[in-house]
Amino acid sequence: MNAPLKITRIGNSAGVVLPKELLARLRVGVGDSLYVTESPDGIRITAADPDFAEKMAVAERVMREDRDILRELAK
């Protein structure tokens, strides 16, 4: 999807209106949070929290490395 978005004034701030097709692709709606991250090729907007993804990757690594210890603790 490649669509221009117009910046509008919202009170003392500025914002963009996201088309419903884009909201559907992101699987978000009014009241949901979006996350903006800077990447080498520009700005990325996602519905997934990038900090959560990093924390889950660390947790999965720990669970793999300490599998035997965790199994014993679960008894």
Side-chain angles (χ1 to χ4, degrees), residues 5-74:
L5 300 175
K6 188 170 190 166
I7 300 172
T8 60
R9 182 167 302 284
I10 303 172
N12 291 331
S13 300
V16 293
V17 177
L18 301 176
K20 65 180 178 180
E21 295 84 14
L22 180 57
L23 294 174
R25 286 186 64 178
L26 289 168
R27 296 185 189 130
V28 296
V30 175
D32 291 337
S33 295
L34 294 175
Y35 299 90
V36 178
T37 54
E38 196 168 350
S39 65
D41 58 338
I43 300 295
R44 180 174 296 159
I45 299 175
T46 62
D49 183 354
D51 292 335
F52 180 76
E54 290 174 25
K55 291 174 185 173
M56 279 305 297
V58 170
E60 288 173 353
R61 181 175 48 82
V62 168
M63 286 186 283
R64 255 191 322 275
E65 292 172 357
D66 298 330
R67 181 179 0 178
D68 297 332
I69 295 170
L70 293 172
R71 193 173 292 129
E72 285 297 317
L73 289 172

